[in-house]
Amino acid sequence: MGPTPRKSGVQHHLWTGACPPEAATAKAQRETLPVCLSRAHGEEVLSGVVVISSKDSVQHQGVSLTMEGTVNLQLSAKSVGVFEAFYNSVKPIQIINSTIEMVKPGKFPSGKTEIPFEFPLHVKGNKVLYETYHGVFVNIQYTLRCDMRRSLLAKDLTKTCEFIVHSTPQKGKMTPSPVDFTITPETLQNVKERALLPKFLIRGHLNSTNCVITQPLTGELVVESSEAAIRSVELQLVRVETCGCAEGYARDATEIQNIQIADGDVCRGLSVPIYMVFPRLFTCPTLETTNFKVEFEVNIVVLLHPDHLITENFPLKLCRT
């Protein structure tokens, strides 16, 4: 059993899937070392069970658990060389790094031995427990590693699994921010030859650009008129990741997912529903820190014949309630 759980007013929810199907194995005696995690108990504590399985008794030099949480930043290829100081001043940001000794040196009997544990999430210094996020240039990840040390003639056993952290829900009710939009050739920006565009009128609305991450983005779109036939209408969710230091920042936008909401020449005056679920791990509550930012946007993309691409952009603010 690890240290006694620390009571805390801040609640972070942790989750992981079932026991990993592949366990670290030593061929000589076929011992396995899977780690099963369960939910936290309403406190900043990760609990679970380490299972030692072997056909014969196992001599060992101790079993330990190591918890790590890091933010990894990197520059895109287009920014390499532009911010040379970035490499010197920004390194992986360590949020958590702690180890507990579960079992002292000794011997495990043959068969299965289960060792329950409770591991407090103690952040380093004044660091913040950010929500798990798997991005392109910003990556926030938490892992738990179990090590069973053995004698010089036997290979050490190690198993690592990721656990998921949800940030603290914001207090109070989120205020919706509905947005109405109208798209015409005149409203478009960055158009080289506006006179060559076919005439069209597209109206619609998003129910809110302040979004709860566990609820879908909703709205509707209506094609009032269009001289050209419509090929497709799509929703594109985009992550905007900014990382850097005092010497400079690199900002990159990349696609997370693209959903087609209409195919072919849409009937004029027909309401087309807008509905998008935010994918877990690839999104997180909008985040802004000294060294990095994670923001999100949605694009409404309309393809017209023969080869016209129309895009309307809407910044989003994601939160957890």
Side-chain angles (χ1 to χ4, degrees):
M1 184 69 71
T4 303
R6 175 172 59 91
K7 295 287 184 181
S8 171
V10 180
Q11 294 188 3
H12 292 269
H13 304 284
L14 298 99
W15 171 89
T16 181
C19 300
E22 298 180 1
T25 304
K27 293 182 180 179
Q29 294 184 333
R30 296 182 181 176
E31 302 92 4
T32 60
L33 190 70
V35 181
C36 302
L37 305 184
S38 60
R39 291 181 182 271
H41 302 298
E43 301 156 339
E44 293 181 63
V45 177
L46 181 66
S47 62
V49 177
V50 173
V51 183
I52 313 293
S53 299
S54 175
K55 290 186 175 181
D56 304 305
S57 59
V58 182
Q59 196 80 29
H60 65 90
Q61 301 301 312
V63 177
S64 63
L65 280 178
T66 301
M67 179 186 292
E68 292 184 331
T70 55
V71 180
N72 290 300
L73 309 176
Q74 69 178 68
L75 287 177
S76 62
K78 70 177 184 180
S79 300
V80 172
V82 178
F83 304 113
E84 294 295 340
F86 178 91
Y87 297 98
N88 300 323
S89 59
V90 176
K91 298 177 181 179
I93 302 168
Q94 202 162 61
I95 304 170
I96 298 175
N97 187 3
S98 54
T99 300
I100 56 173
E101 195 73 24
M102 294 187 66
V103 181
K104 293 182 178 180
K107 180 185 291 186
F108 288 119
S110 60
K112 181 185 290 186
T113 303
E114 295 188 352
I115 310 169
F117 65 86
E118 289 186 339
F119 206 151
L121 274 76
H122 291 162
V123 297
K124 299 186 68 174
N126 60 350
K127 295 292 195 305
V128 177
L129 206 60
Y130 302 121
E131 180 154 326
T132 298
Y133 168 72
H134 292 182
V136 177
F137 306 108
V138 177
N139 197 71
I140 304 171
Q141 191 170 27
Y142 300 87
T143 59
L144 187 69
R145 188 183 75 246
C146 181
D147 296 299
M148 184 168 76
R149 298 177 298 280
R150 307 175 71 196
S151 63
L152 294 175
L153 299 179
K155 186 178 179 181
D156 292 349
L157 294 181
T158 297
K159 184 64 183 179
T160 302
C161 59
E162 180 180 9
F163 61 93
I164 310 303
V165 173
H166 288 177
S167 61
T168 308
Q170 74 172 29
K171 296 179 180 179
K173 191 175 181 180
M174 189 194 67
T175 304
S177 56
V179 174
D180 294 321
F181 60 86
T182 300
I183 309 173
T184 67
E186 290 71 34
T187 63
L188 298 179
Q189 299 178 357
N190 301 321
V191 179
K192 293 183 179 179
E193 297 179 340
R194 198 180 301 272
L196 298 180
L197 285 175
K199 299 293 182 182
F200 59 86
L201 172 59
I202 301 171
R203 300 184 193 275
H205 70 269
L206 297 177
N207 291 330
S208 180
T209 54
N210 287 341
C211 303
V212 178
I213 199 169
T214 54
Q215 298 176 7
L217 171 71
T218 57
E220 67 175 17
L221 175 145
V222 178
V223 179
E224 300 286 1
S225 63
S226 177
E227 290 181 351
I230 294 174
R231 292 168 51 187
S232 177
V233 182
E234 300 167 359
L235 283 179
Q236 182 187 48
L237 182 62
V238 174
R239 62 171 81 82
V240 182
E241 297 166 320
T242 305
C243 51
C245 55
E247 288 80 3
Y249 287 85
R251 185 176 187 271
D252 294 279
T254 52
E255 179 182 299
I256 299 175
Q257 67 181 12
N258 192 299
I259 298 174
Q260 186 180 48
I261 60 173
D263 184 26
D265 199 10
V266 179
C267 295
R268 309 305 185 251
L270 177 68
S271 176
V272 178
I274 293 173
Y275 189 96
M276 175 182 281
V277 175
F278 297 107
R280 187 65 191 95
L281 299 183
F282 303 113
T283 56
C284 68
T286 301
L287 188 57
E288 182 172 354
T289 73
T290 304
N291 296 111
F292 66 94
K293 290 196 297 184
V294 181
E295 302 165 294
F296 300 93
E297 300 174 351
V298 67
N299 293 325
I300 294 178
V301 182
V302 181
L303 297 172
L304 300 178
H305 280 290
D307 196 21
H308 296 293
L309 177 67
I310 301 163
T311 302
E312 190 77 4
N313 176 267
F314 303 91
L316 301 177
K317 182 179 180 180
L318 303 189
C319 67
R320 187 174 294 281
T321 61

